[in-house]
């Protein structure tokens, strides 16, 4: 125990010495760091003692939030409400349990009921009630499906089922209206709107995509009123432009390896037929073909007709009658029909058929080295090369000359290598004159920013310079203290040396046999030296060398 207190006392003394050695700035810094550490420790302890609330559900309606809150109170789970009651927070340790328990009970309820309405049979329901329940169930199922989209938080569907009539002109087609609530910062794209329209149209009997209206909670309409989910004119224009771009890109990809990048320009114009129907063509061959022939012959007889009158002559298998002379007219006929061959073609016309294509291709002049002038020059391309380019354009673009497509290829210079006449020098601008008033007015913003930057730079330099000067003063002061300490040590060493010599001299004087009262100090020293030199020459020589070294 005593050893512990000794160690503690020594530690406190070291802390006190460290605190005493710090200057004012060091003490403030140490105090701020200690306060910050204590604050972090306190915040950590407070945070560990407070429940960590996490989001259970967000974006709830008032009805859903009320049901979930009532169930949480029954489960004795603490909760918090945020975002005007649309977000419910629970402690992190209760999050998974609460979410699973609520999911087993069907909470939160998203949309209306679907075909669960028919889980329990109602034998007393009328046909009208069954029809209304079917409509409600269909709307609920559509709401659930549309709400599953990532951009949609909630959906509402309204369907008008078709009304049949004995008169076709009185039939009412089905219609549908979809209202979606989107997440913040999201919007439905054209493809998503089309998908919703086709989804609803496929689920409702007698409903076409043109009869579906889609809008959001702010009233923004994504489809035209009963106009479908696509803008026909915009799609037609986009299709036409895509065909033109595709043809132009194919032409450039074919010609640029030969003419070089930037050596060719292509422009394509397409006429598209958006009408649909059926076309019948009948081609007649001018060369006739004989199918049947009819010839009529008539001849006269010399005598009147003869024969056995009566019924027996008209019966079959009559016996032969001897030939007799006949009188009157004998006729025979033959028919020949002349008919030309025909070819009948029936063709169904689809929308988007290309009627005509016009292609214009511009080719840069050929660059060559003019040896006489010693520089590059340009010359038009010859007709054979242009014809080759035209054939490549027809093949690459898919143009059909029999359809009436036109392909034009010309060779023109894109830019001149020679420098043209120099343009007259523009009049001097007063704002370009250095240090003029107009120059200051024109460049006042850069000047102000530059001055601020220079001032900031000077301030930073002066700050570091002052820090450096303070450091140099501190170093010089330390060097002076060390120098003074060394000087004192040297003086103390010299004092100790002189004192030691004095003591040696006193001791040597005491060892002499001559009385000090009879002679002076010089005489005594001389006699002593003489005796030492006589008795011990080596010691005397060493003493002399020591004195000479000290004098040096």
């Amino acid at each position: 125990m005593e050893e512990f207190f000794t160690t503690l006392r020594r530690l406190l003394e070291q802390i006190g010495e460290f605190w005493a050695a710090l200057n004012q700035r060091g003490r403030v810094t140490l105090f701020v760091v200690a306060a910050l550490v204590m604050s972090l420790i306190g915040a950590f302890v407070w945070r560990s003692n407070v429940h960590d609330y996490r989001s259970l559900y967000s974006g709830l309606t008032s009805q859903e939030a009320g049901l979930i809150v009532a169930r949480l109170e029954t489960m004795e789970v603490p909760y918090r409400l945020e975002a005007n009651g649309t977000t419910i927070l629970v402690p992190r340790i209760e999050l998974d349990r609460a979410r699973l328990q609520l999911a087993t009970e069907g909470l939160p309820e998203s949309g209306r009921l679907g075909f669960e309405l028919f889980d329990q049979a109602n034998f007393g329901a009328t046909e009208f009630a069954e029809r209304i329940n079917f409509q409600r169930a269909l709307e609920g199922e559509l709401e659930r499906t549309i709400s599953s989209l990532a951009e949609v938080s909630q959906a509402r569907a309204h369907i008008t089922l078709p009304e049949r009539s004995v008169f076709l002109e009185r039939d009412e087609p089905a219609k549908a209206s979809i209202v979606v609530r989107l997440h913040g910062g999201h919007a439905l794209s054209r493809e998503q709107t089309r998908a919703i329209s086709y989804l609803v149209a496929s689920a409702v009997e007698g409903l076409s995509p043109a009869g579906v209206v889609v809008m959001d909670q702010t009233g923004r309409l994504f489809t035209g009123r009963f106009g479908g989910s696509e803008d026909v004119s915009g799609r037609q224009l986009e299709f036409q432009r895509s065909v033109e771009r595709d043809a132009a890109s194919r032409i450039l990809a074919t010609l640029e390896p030969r003419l070089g990048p930037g050596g060719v320009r292509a422009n394509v114009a397409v006429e598209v037929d958006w009408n649909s129907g059926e076309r019948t063509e009948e081609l007649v061959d001018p060369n006739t073909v004989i199918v049947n022939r009819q010839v009529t012959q008539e001849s006269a007889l010399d005598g009147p007709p003869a024969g056995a009158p009566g019924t027996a002559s008209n019966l079959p298998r009559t016996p032969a009658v001897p030939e007799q002379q006949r009188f009157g007219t004998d006729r025979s006929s033959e028919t020949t029909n002349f008919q030309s061959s025909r070819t009948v073609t029936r063709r169904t016309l689809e929308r988007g058929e290309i009627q005509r294509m016009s292609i214009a291709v511009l080719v840069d002049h050929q660059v060559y080295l003019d040896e006489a002038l010693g520089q590059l020059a340009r010359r038009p391309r010859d007709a054979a090369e242009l014809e080759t380019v035209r054939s490549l354009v027809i093949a690459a673009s898919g143009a059909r000359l029999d359809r009436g497509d036109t392909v034009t290829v010309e060779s023109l210079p894109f830019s001149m290598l020679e420098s043209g006449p120099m343009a007259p020098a523009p009049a001097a601008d007063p704002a370009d004159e250095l240090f003029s008033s107009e120059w200051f007015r024109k460049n006042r913003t850069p000047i102000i920013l530059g001055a601020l930057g220079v001032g900031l730079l000077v301030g930073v330099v002066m700050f570091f310079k002052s820090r450096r000067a303070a450091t140099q003063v501190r170093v010089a002061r330390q060097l002076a203290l060390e120098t003074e300490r060394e000087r004192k040590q040297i003086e103390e060493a010299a004092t100790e040396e002189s004192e030691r010599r004095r003591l040696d001299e006193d001791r040597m004087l005491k060892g002499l046999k001559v009385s000090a009262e009879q002679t002076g100090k010089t005489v005594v020293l001389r006699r002593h030296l003489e005796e030492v030199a006589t008795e011990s020459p080596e010691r005397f020589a060493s003493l002399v060398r020591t004195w000479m070294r000290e004098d040096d």
Side-chain angles (χ1 to χ4, degrees), residues 300-321:
L301 301 178
D302 295 339
T311 304
S313 61
N314 295 323
L315 294 175
R317 298 179 181 180
T318 57
V321 179

Side-chain angles (χ1 to χ4, degrees), residues 444-456:
R444 60 177 177 271
T445 301
I447 291 174
I448 294 174
L449 294 178
L452 292 177
V454 172
L456 181 61

Side-chain angles (χ1 to χ4, degrees), residues 164-469:
R164 304 300 182 185
S165 175
V166 294
F167 302 101
L168 296 178
E169 63 273 8
R170 295 185 180 179
D171 284 348
E172 291 291 338
K175 305 180 185 66
S177 300
I178 307 297
V179 181
V180 294
R181 180 180 296 275
L182 303 176
H183 293 291
H186 291 80
L188 292 179
S189 63
R190 182 182 297 274
E191 293 299 326
Q192 290 173 331
T193 307
R194 287 187 59 197
I196 293 176
S197 299
Y198 278 94
L199 171 67
V200 177
S202 301
V204 180
E205 180 184 1
L207 178 60
S208 63
V212 180
V213 178
V214 181
M215 61 180 293
D216 63 356
Q217 73 275 14
T218 61
R220 180 173 45 177
L221 189 64
F222 293 101
T223 59
R225 182 169 179 80
F226 306 126
S229 59
E230 55 188 8
D231 187 0
V232 178
S233 300
R235 294 193 63 212
Q236 292 176 355
L237 182 60
E238 181 62 27
F239 173 78
Q240 180 177 346
R241 290 179 178 176
S242 65
V243 172
E244 294 174 352
R245 288 194 301 266
D246 184 58
S249 62
R250 290 200 303 268
I251 293 172
L252 294 178
T254 303
L255 298 180
E256 281 187 348
R258 172 65 181 86
L259 304 176
V264 61
R265 297 289 187 274
N267 192 6
V268 181
V270 175
E271 296 180 5
V272 182
D273 185 11
W274 296 106
N275 297 322
S276 61
E278 185 176 352
R279 182 172 61 188
T280 302
E281 295 180 355
E282 183 176 353
L283 300 178
V284 180
D285 190 359
N287 299 322
T288 59
V289 178
I290 298 176
V291 177
N292 191 10
R293 182 177 182 181
Q294 182 179 2
V295 179
T296 303
Q297 295 180 354
E298 184 176 353
S299 60
L301 301 178
D302 295 339
T311 304
S313 61
N314 295 323
L315 294 175
R317 298 179 181 180
T318 57
V321 179
E323 184 178 359
Q324 300 180 2
Q325 186 176 2
R326 302 176 62 184
F327 300 93
T329 303
D330 188 8
R331 297 177 180 177
S332 62
S333 63
E334 182 179 354
T335 302
T336 303
N337 295 327
F338 296 91
Q339 186 177 3
S340 59
S341 62
R342 297 183 304 167
T343 302
V344 179
T345 303
R346 289 183 176 86
R347 182 182 178 187
T348 302
L349 300 179
E350 300 292 342
R351 288 187 176 184
E353 183 180 3
I354 298 177
Q355 285 186 330
R356 188 170 179 271
M357 182 183 295
S358 300
I359 304 174
V361 178
L362 188 62
V363 181
D364 193 9
H365 276 184
Q366 186 177 7
V367 180
Y368 71 100
L369 178 61
D370 191 347
E371 297 180 356
L373 299 177
Q375 61 181 3
L376 295 176
R378 294 177 180 270
R379 62 186 175 190
R381 299 182 183 271
D382 52 10
E385 186 175 3
L386 293 180
E387 186 62 27
T388 303
V389 172
R390 187 172 184 272
S391 301
L392 293 175
V393 170
I394 294 174
S397 62
R400 293 169 48 188
L401 300 181
D402 56 349
R403 187 176 55 189
D405 298 349
T406 59
V407 179
T408 304
V409 179
E410 294 292 340
S411 178
L412 294 175
F414 284 6
S415 62
M416 300 302 295
L417 294 179
E418 300 81 12
S419 58
M422 298 297 293
D429 190 359
D432 295 336
E433 185 178 354
L434 195 62
F435 302 120
S436 62
S437 58
E438 290 80 3
W439 181 83
F440 278 107
R441 188 179 300 107
K442 179 181 179 180
N443 302 292
R444 60 177 177 271
T445 301
I447 291 174
I448 294 174
L449 294 178
L452 292 177
V454 172
L456 181 61
L457 181 62
V458 170
V460 172
V461 171
M462 293 182 64
F463 172 77
F464 282 104
K465 189 174 180 181
S466 62
R467 291 288 300 276
R468 184 178 179 183

Side-chain angles (χ1 to χ4, degrees), residues 22 141 155 221 231 283 383 461 495 499 542:
L22 291 177
E141 294 292 338
L221 189 64
D231 187 0
L283 300 178
V461 171
T495 304
E499 183 66 20
S542 176

